[in-house]
Each structure stands twice: as C-alpha cells, then as structure tokens.
C-alpha cells in the first residue's frame, strides 16, 4: 500500500502566522494612530519577504484603487495596508520571540507528518547545524542592543548578528531553519555579546525532548571547546564539531603520540565523481583528551583527506571531534555529517543574503526590536518556501517548471502586480496552466 504524502498548503502556513497575531500587545493610545492593526503591519512586512518584492504593498494599493480588490487581502489577509514607516513604528515594540511559536508549529507538523524522517542520518539522528551570521551593519545607525567595532581611524561600526540553527542532511538539498538566537548586548549589560555566548543561551533554552529523535549538533571550530561540548552533552545532544590543529594544541600532541603507537586507524576508499577518480583517506581514533588537564573531556577524532588520484592534488582536508564512537563502519558517515554543516552556509545563509531575501539589507533598525523582528520574519519566509518545496506537490511542480529561484520569484512578482488571485492555489495553477498552454502552442 502506497503511503499518502503529507501536503502543506500555503494558506495553512499563512494561518500559522496569523493565529499568533490575535493577541499582540498594543501600547498605543486610542486615537488616529490606531487606524492600522498591528497584525496588518506584521503580515505586510512578511508579505514583502515571502514574495521577495520590495514594491509588493505599493502595487497592491494601486490594484485596490483600480479593481477594488488586492492580493494583500486575498493572499495575506491584510485588511488595511500601512505605509513603510507605520510598519516600522508598529513592529518596533514587539519582541521577535512573539512569532517563534510559528517555527515550533511547523516543526511539529513536519514531525507528525513524518517529513522530518527524510532528514534522518547516522542511525535516525537529526542533524542541526549551528552558524553565526551578521545581518545588519552601519557606521551611523545604532540602538542599545548593537555590538560595535572600533576602528583605528576612530570610526565605529555598529552591527547585529544571530546564530541560525538549521536542520540539514547530506541526502537533502533543503535546509529547515529554526528560530534564531540573537547576538546582542543582553539587558542591563554593557558587555559585547558573541557567538559563543549566544550558542550557550540556545543550548540552555533547547534541551533535547525525550520523545524527539536524537539530535547531533554540527558546528565550526569555534564550538569545539570543552564548555560548549559539555553543555551540549548535558542537554542530551550529540555533536560533530570542526577541530583545527591551530586551536587544539594538546589534542594534536596526543594524536602525534598515538600515531607513533599505531593507535590512529586509517581507512581508504576510491570514488568516481563523474569527472575524476578521488581517493578518500580517513583517519580516526577514540577517547582522546580535548584539552590539557585532568578534567579534560574525552572525545573521538576523525579526519578526511580527499586527493585527485591522477594528479595527487589535495582537494579537501578537514577534521572533527565527536562523542559518537568511530569505527570503520561509520567514519565515512560521520565525516559526511560533519561536512553537511556547510549546507547552512550554501543552502541557508548564502540564499538568504544573495538570492532574493537580502538578509543584510537594512529594512529598518528601530530602537527596540524592529531589526530582530524583520530578520525573524525574513527567516520565516525562507522556512515557508523550504517547507513548501518539501511538502506541496503543486509548488514543487512550479519550481521544477521555472527551473531557477530567480525565474520563480520574477514570475510571482509580475503576476501579483497585474493580476488578482483569490488564493495561492489559483496563482500556482495559473502558472502551470499558462506554461502548459504555451508549450503546447510552441510544439504545434
């Protein structure tokens, strides 16, 4: 019996967000300044990120004037469209955590519908990659939460950053971003914040739940320090973190000793990648001190070196520490899991910064929470599209038909500018029907 694949409708995702906006706190006094609902401001900001159209709201105002109906209302349930400044003013007092339940609802849906099983790796583990990124930078605009860099010429750069956790898998092209942890000055503190401290906060807030699949955390060399490793283990997480020789002197001194003693295992495999034959050389050992001292955590270490067999050119080399016991049977999978951390950069942050979401663009800074709220809405839009790519058959057909992400969003922007659609399904069906009609006409 063929199991029916779970379907996530766009309207269902939109409703996840709308449901969280019913009881938003409103600090405004009654009067003319309450013309627009905060929920409308929230959905208006989200609509820009979801359509990747900075002019979306302006186009919908014009459509409303001409056709007495608009896509902002039919697709995003926006009753009255506020202007950009009104959106910023209405959202600035709201903490980004206001919309975090939406991330959690989507995760729960993916779990219940068994979509998350597609990401299972390393004996049914979920891999969560952790990576810090900056999303705002300015020499003029700042707020009390900004971190800053003082330069030799006397100038100062103010910036905001965050740690973006994302579910990844070597077998999946999609990544599933989770709610971010912001790198910012903490309330009442003058001390600069850092990625290391933000990761610790995230770990303390997100202990492993007993009914969830086991999670292995992935991270760069910054995370392969004893405090973070111990904290991860105390929260029932596994880990695979990059471990460089330059920052782990004691560990590599032990490796040198163990190698001479014949206790570092080696495994070699040859693989044809479609263009050339590659040699994968794995080295590993178990139970090695992470740092100097009697209180050192014992970790397991592995390394991969990839060489072009014909030219003997070094193509790639990296090493990791983990709490997973390493053997000939799993070292290749552990390395693949460790390397999949780059998916959060390639399929995650790179897409967010360079492929339409414009993560680093200053959409608005505010004096309280605006910067963080806009980042969270932008990331949520990316999450929505990732989920649709996983669990909406019509959406996937449209994406495959239009091939590139750029073509997809160009068509969405153009259609929403000139045509009114009663629903997202009508919009997707229109694209499929028109392209099918054009293909038939061209072939005849």
């Amino acid at each position: 019996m063929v199991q029916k694949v779970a379907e996530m409708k766009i309207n269902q995702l939109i409703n996840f967000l709308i449901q969280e906006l019913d009881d938003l706190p409103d600090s405004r006094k009654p009067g003319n300044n309450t013309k627009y609902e905060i929920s409308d401001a929230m959905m208006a900001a989200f609509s820009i990120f979801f359509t990747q159209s900075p002019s979306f709201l302006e186009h919908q105002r014009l459509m409303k004037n001409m056709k007495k109906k608009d896509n902002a209302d039919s697709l995003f349930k926006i009753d009255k469209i506020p202007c950009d400044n009104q959106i910023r003013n209405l959202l600035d007092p709201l903490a980004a955590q206001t919309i975090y339940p939406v991330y959690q609802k989507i995760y729960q849906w993916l779990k219940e519908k068994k979509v998350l099983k597609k990401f299972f790796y390393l004996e049914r583990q979920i891999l969560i990659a952790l990576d810090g990124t900056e999303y705002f930078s300015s020499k003029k605009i700042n707020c009390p939460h900004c971190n800053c860099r003082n330069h030799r010429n006397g100038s100062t750069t103010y910036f905001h950053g965050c740690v973006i956790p994302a579910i990844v898998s070597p077998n999946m092209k999609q990544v599933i971003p989770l709610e971010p942890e912001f790198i910012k000055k903490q309330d009442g503190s003058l001390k600069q914040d850092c990625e290391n401290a933000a990761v610790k906060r995230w770990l303390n807030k997100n202990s492993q739940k007993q009914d969830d699949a086991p999670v292995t955390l992935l991270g760069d060399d910054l995370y392969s320090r004893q405090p973070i490793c111990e904290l991860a283990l105390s929260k029932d997480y596994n880990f695979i973190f990059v471990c460089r020789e330059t920052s782990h002197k004691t560990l590599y001194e032990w490796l040198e000793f163990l190698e001479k003693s014949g206790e570092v295992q080696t495994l070699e495999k040859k693989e044809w990648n479609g263009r050339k034959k590659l040699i994968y050389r794995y080295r590993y050992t178990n139970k090695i001190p992470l740092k100097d001292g009697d209180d050192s955590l014992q970790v397991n270490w592995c390394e991969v070196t990839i060489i072009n067999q014909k030219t003997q050119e070094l193509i790639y080399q990296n090493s990791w520490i983990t709490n997973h016991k390493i053997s000939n049977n799993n070292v290749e999978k552990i390395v693949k899991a460790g390397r999949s951390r780059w998916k959060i950069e390639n399929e995650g942050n790179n897409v967010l910064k360079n492929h339409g979401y414009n993560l680093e663009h200053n959409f608005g800074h505010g004096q309280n929470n605006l910067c963080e709220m806009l980042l969270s809405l932008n990331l949520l839009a990316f999450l929505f599209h990732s989920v649709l790519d996983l669990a909406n058959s019509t959406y996937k057909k449209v994406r495959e038909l239009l091939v590139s992400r750029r073509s997809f969003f160009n068509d969405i922007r153009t259609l929403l500018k000139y045509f009114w659609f009663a629903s997202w399904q009508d919009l997707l069906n229109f694209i499929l029907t028109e392209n099918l009609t054009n293909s038939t006409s061209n072939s005849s």
Side-chain angles (χ1 to χ4, degrees):
M1 182 177 178
V2 179
Q3 186 176 2
K4 187 177 180 181
V5 179
E7 281 278 316
M8 171 65 84
K9 303 297 184 184
I10 302 182
N11 286 349
Q12 187 177 352
L13 283 171
I14 298 291
N15 285 336
F16 279 164
L17 178 53
I18 290 174
Q19 288 164 10
E20 296 304 317
L21 309 183
D22 288 341
D23 299 311
L24 289 177
D26 190 345
S27 59
R28 296 173 297 172
K29 296 179 180 179
N32 293 333
N33 65 345
T34 58
K35 176 182 177 181
Y36 298 99
E37 297 291 336
I38 295 179
S39 57
D40 281 345
M42 188 81 77
M43 294 306 299
F46 175 78
S47 69
I48 293 172
F49 298 130
F50 188 77
T51 61
Q52 292 192 6
S53 174
S55 303
F56 174 74
L57 298 176
E58 180 184 347
H59 293 154
Q60 301 317 303
R61 291 189 194 96
L62 292 173
M63 182 179 289
K64 180 78 169 181
N65 290 335
M66 295 174 62
K67 300 183 178 183
K68 307 305 178 186
K69 54 188 177 181
D70 62 88
N71 293 309
D73 180 21
S74 59
L75 304 184
F76 293 100
K77 311 305 177 190
I78 302 170
D79 184 26
K80 296 177 182 177
I81 304 174
C83 70
D84 291 352
N85 284 336
Q86 290 163 332
I87 292 172
R88 295 188 182 103
N89 291 336
L90 289 170
L91 297 188
D92 192 30
L94 300 175
Q97 288 75 12
T98 302
I99 62 169
Y100 280 12
V102 184
Y103 290 87
Q104 293 150 16
K105 283 182 179 178
I106 292 172
Y107 178 89
Q108 196 63 30
W109 186 92
L110 293 171
K111 176 185 167 184
E112 290 174 357
K113 302 299 181 182
K114 305 189 186 315
V115 179
L116 275 184
K117 283 189 173 182
K118 297 179 181 180
F119 288 81
F120 281 179
Y121 201 70
L122 283 178
E123 303 298 327
R124 300 173 61 82
Q125 299 252 336
I126 289 176
L127 306 180
I128 295 182
L130 300 165
D131 190 46
T133 187
E134 288 185 19
Y135 62 93
F136 170 83
S137 179
S138 174
K139 289 185 179 298
K140 296 180 179 179
I141 303 172
N142 65 88
C143 74
H145 302 300
C146 279
N147 285 309
C148 59
R149 297 188 189 94
N150 296 314
H151 305 289
R152 291 182 180 179
N153 63 4
S155 66
T156 299
T157 297
Y158 303 94
F159 65 95
H160 282 262
C162 64
V163 172
I164 299 178
I167 298 173
V168 300
S169 170
N171 300 328
M172 300 295 293
K173 67 175 183 177
Q174 299 91 347
V175 301
I176 302 175
L178 306 174
E179 55 267 33
E181 178 65 40
F182 292 100
I183 304 170
K184 65 175 186 177
K185 288 180 182 177
Q186 298 302 291
D187 290 341
S189 175
L190 298 176
K191 185 180 178 181
Q192 297 265 78
D193 197 21
C194 65
E195 183 177 344
N196 191 293
V199 167
K200 291 177 182 177
R201 289 197 300 273
W202 185 86
L203 284 168
N204 280 314
K205 294 174 186 175
N206 294 278
S207 299
Q208 259 277 266
K209 297 176 183 175
Q210 291 184 352
D211 62 334
D212 282 346
V215 172
T216 292
L217 301 176
L218 312 176
D220 61 20
D221 186 73
L222 175 70
Y223 302 155
S224 57
R225 307 297 193 275
Q226 182 146 327
I228 288 181
C229 292
E230 285 185 327
L231 182 57
L233 292 173
S234 73
K235 301 298 181 181
D236 294 324
Y237 289 110
N238 301 306
F239 63 82
I240 303 173
F241 295 146
V242 172
C243 177
R244 303 200 184 283
E245 183 174 0
T246 52
S247 53
H248 293 79
K249 182 180 177 182
T250 298
L251 184 145
Y252 277 86
E253 286 175 352
W254 270 97
L255 277 173
E256 186 178 355
F257 170 76
L258 292 172
E259 186 123 50
K260 291 176 182 177
S261 306
E263 296 181 52
V264 175
Q265 307 298 315
T266 302
L267 178 68
E268 193 169 287
K269 292 188 176 183
K270 294 179 181 178
E271 213 174 273
W272 175 257
N273 72 350
R275 293 178 298 168
K276 51 196 172 188
K277 185 168 281 189
L278 302 176
I279 299 172
Y280 286 76
R281 189 170 294 137
Y282 302 95
R283 297 166 65 228
Y284 69 90
T285 191
N286 293 299
K287 293 187 177 180
I288 186 170
L290 178 56
K291 68 180 184 68
D292 194 16
D294 295 338
D295 63 339
S296 175
L297 183 68
Q298 298 285 305
V299 296
N300 308 320
W301 173 92
C302 63
E303 175 191 75
V304 66
T305 304
I306 305 176
I307 300 168
N308 184 323
Q309 183 177 355
K310 183 177 181 180
T311 65
Q312 292 299 299
E313 173 193 3
L314 175 64
I315 295 174
Y316 178 82
Q317 186 174 36
N318 210 343
S319 55
W320 298 264
I321 57 167
T322 178
N323 68 309
H324 291 290
K325 186 176 180 180
I326 308 173
S327 67
N328 281 358
N329 294 328
N330 69 3
V331 65
E332 186 176 4
K333 279 199 165 186
I334 286 175
V335 165
K336 283 185 177 179
R339 292 186 69 187
S340 67
R341 181 189 76 82
W342 287 101
K343 285 182 173 285
I344 196 174
E345 301 223 1
N346 296 335
E347 277 84 17
N349 294 345
N350 179 51
V351 172
L352 286 164
K353 291 180 180 180
N354 303 311
H355 296 277
Y357 294 94
N358 298 311
L359 189 76
E360 295 174 305
H361 177 76
N362 180 20
F363 294 100
H365 185 268
Q367 285 299 308
N368 294 298
N369 305 299
L370 180 64
C371 198
E372 295 174 9
M373 176 61 80
L374 295 179
L375 177 281
S376 299
L377 288 170
N378 202 354
L379 191 63
L380 192 64
F382 175 60
L383 172 59
F384 278 23
H385 283 292
S386 298
V387 170
L388 292 168
D389 202 22
L390 283 166
N392 185 297
S393 56
T394 309
Y395 181 95
K396 285 192 280 188
K397 287 178 184 177
V398 171
R399 284 298 307 269
E400 290 168 4
L401 182 68
L402 299 178
V403 183
S404 71
R405 181 181 281 106
R406 178 177 294 180
S407 296
F408 173 79
F409 282 106
N410 280 345
D411 279 19
I412 293 293
R413 279 190 292 268
T414 302
L415 289 172
L416 293 181
K417 179 178 180 180
Y418 293 108
F419 300 100
W420 177 79
F421 295 94
S423 70
W424 284 105
Q425 192 64 38
D426 287 350
L427 170 60
L428 296 178
N429 288 338
F430 179 87
I431 296 174
L432 289 176
T433 303
E434 287 300 307
N435 277 275
L436 181 62
T437 303
N438 292 336
S439 298
T440 304
S441 300
N442 292 336
S443 61
S444 61

